[in-house]
Amino acid sequence: MELKQAKGNTWYLADWQLTPLYMTDRTHCILIDTGDLTQREEIIELLKSKNITPVGILGTHVHTDHSPNHAFFKELYHIPLALSLNEAAICSGKTMLKAYYFMLTEGQILEFDDYSNMLVKTDRIILPEEDSISFCGAEFKIIKTPGHSPGHISIVTPDGVLCIGDALFSSDYLADSKLPYFFSLKTAIETMNHLKTADYPCYLLAHRGVCSSIQTLADENIKEINIWADRVKAVLDTPLSVGDSIAAVCKETCLLSSRVFKSTLYERNIRPYIDYLTDCGKLETFAKDGVTFYRPAG
């Protein structure tokens, strides 16, 4: 992990994913997301080695790779956390987190460290009507970018750096990914089209990019979503139940695991593609013996 400068006082922790931060002075910063559990100690040690102390956390969204250190860092550094209204609700308790991660039981939410560490109280809730926030002595613009998660936001630092979180993925990430996750593919595409109008000197993507323009990348993300959706549709060429549909897609995309932690993630990743194809009229549903089935439309 390295500390690299994006522009002005906006820096980022460069690792297998990027974690932005904004320096409020020479020795203090606001973290924009906090990485995943495997990065916790390395983030602490790197900041300590640079004599940097966090004074706040601004979150783009709450997922296991960007937010399970929120509560720990809040307690370690005695600092506030700011999240959008929807994201704050998701991580406010085990029942709400289970509602979002529908494929898990409440017991599994507490059993799996990646999820239990996501539970946190938000100190500053960013309301839907807010397009800016004054936080820990700095002014940030807020852009609503839902789709990857319900209340995902992108954050513009005072240097004009747009921290996109997971609203867009880099070309390298797209090439490596088997089936990237979006809570709502339709909403994600709408957000990507909206982001094509953004005009900032620098963009930070959590997975994994630093770039000076995103218009072409947004088109690439939209294209890839539809390629993956069509691939899922091709697998569902005969009537299948939800469970059988997920199993067929897992086999086709080589998402194979004997670990419940992984299999539940695969289910979560696949369901939005089935929903998207259904809403687009490419799949249709019917019920038989109390079970919902999917089949090609028409």
Side-chain angles (χ1 to χ4, degrees):
M1 184 180 291
E2 298 179 74
L3 180 63
K4 294 186 176 183
Q5 187 176 30
K7 182 178 184 292
N9 292 320
T10 306
W11 296 66
Y12 60 95
L13 304 175
D15 200 5
W16 58 269
Q17 65 174 349
L18 306 186
T19 301
L21 57 86
Y22 179 75
M23 299 295 299
T24 57
D25 58 38
R26 293 182 62 183
T27 59
H28 297 91
C29 76
I30 297 169
L31 293 168
I32 300 175
D33 295 329
T34 56
D36 83 345
L37 286 181
T38 67
Q39 298 176 298
R40 177 182 291 178
E41 294 304 321
E42 196 168 2
I43 291 173
I44 293 170
E45 290 304 316
L46 178 57
L47 293 177
K48 183 179 179 180
S49 71
K50 301 295 184 181
N51 194 30
I52 298 172
T53 303
V55 295
I57 302 166
L58 258 176
T60 60
H61 65 297
V62 292
H63 276 169
T64 57
D65 51 348
H66 301 294
S67 69
N69 293 320
H70 286 359
F72 186 87
F73 286 175
K74 273 191 59 176
E75 183 175 352
L76 178 65
Y77 298 113
H78 305 288
I79 57 177
L81 166 67
L83 293 172
S84 72
L85 177 64
N86 286 346
E87 301 296 302
I90 288 170
C91 60
S92 63
K94 64 178 181 178
T95 304
M96 289 299 294
L97 198 55
K98 189 263 182 294
Y100 180 57
Y101 289 104
F102 64 91
M103 67 290 177
L104 298 169
T105 69
E106 283 192 23
Q108 288 170 329
I109 290 289
L110 299 178
E111 175 187 352
F112 295 135
D113 289 343
D114 295 74
Y115 298 109
S116 62
N117 278 272
M118 290 175 63
L119 298 171
V120 65
K121 179 182 177 182
T122 303
D123 303 289
R124 171 61 161 94
I125 293 177
I126 303 169
L127 299 175
E129 60 269 23
E130 292 186 282
D131 57 12
S132 64
I133 178 176
S134 179
F135 186 65
C136 298
E139 300 290 329
F140 297 90
K141 292 181 181 178
I142 304 297
I143 300 176
K144 284 74 176 179
T145 49
H148 180 71
S149 66
H152 192 295
I153 58 173
S154 296
I155 298 163
V156 185
T157 73
D159 299 306
V161 177
L162 179 57
C163 303
I164 293 180
D166 285 353
L168 285 177
F169 297 127
S170 69
S171 297
D172 288 344
Y173 183 84
L174 292 173
D176 292 341
S177 182
K178 292 183 178 179
L179 197 71
Y181 173 75
F182 302 93
F183 177 77
S184 167
L185 276 71
K186 181 179 183 294
T187 304
I189 290 172
E190 292 170 353
T191 284
M192 291 168 186
N193 278 317
H194 176 65
L195 282 171
K196 287 192 287 186
T197 66
D199 184 18
Y200 295 98
C202 183
Y203 302 86
L204 293 181
L205 287 66
H207 300 288
R208 297 174 301 260
V210 181
C211 48
S212 57
S213 66
I214 55 171
Q215 286 72 24
T216 300
L217 184 61
D219 285 331
E220 183 181 353
N221 273 251
I222 294 169
K223 179 181 177 182
E224 291 299 320
I225 284 177
N226 285 298
I227 289 173
W228 287 313
D230 286 343
R231 189 176 176 187
V232 170
K233 178 180 177 293
V235 174
L236 308 183
D237 57 352
T238 58
L240 293 171
S241 67
V242 174
D244 287 340
S245 298
I246 291 168
V249 174
C250 282
K251 183 177 180 181
E252 168 66 20
T253 55
C254 296
L255 293 171
L256 305 174
S257 178
S258 58
R259 296 173 55 207
V260 172
F261 178 81
K262 285 288 188 181
S263 65
T264 52
L265 279 178
Y266 299 159
E267 178 180 357
R268 182 197 70 149
N269 283 23
I270 293 167
R271 282 292 293 269
Y273 287 88
I274 297 174
D275 293 345
Y276 175 65
L277 290 165
T278 303
D279 286 343
C280 288
K282 295 182 178 181
L283 292 177
E284 62 184 18
T285 59
F286 69 97
K288 180 180 178 181
D289 299 330
V291 177
T292 301
F293 288 80
Y294 294 87
R295 64 188 174 195

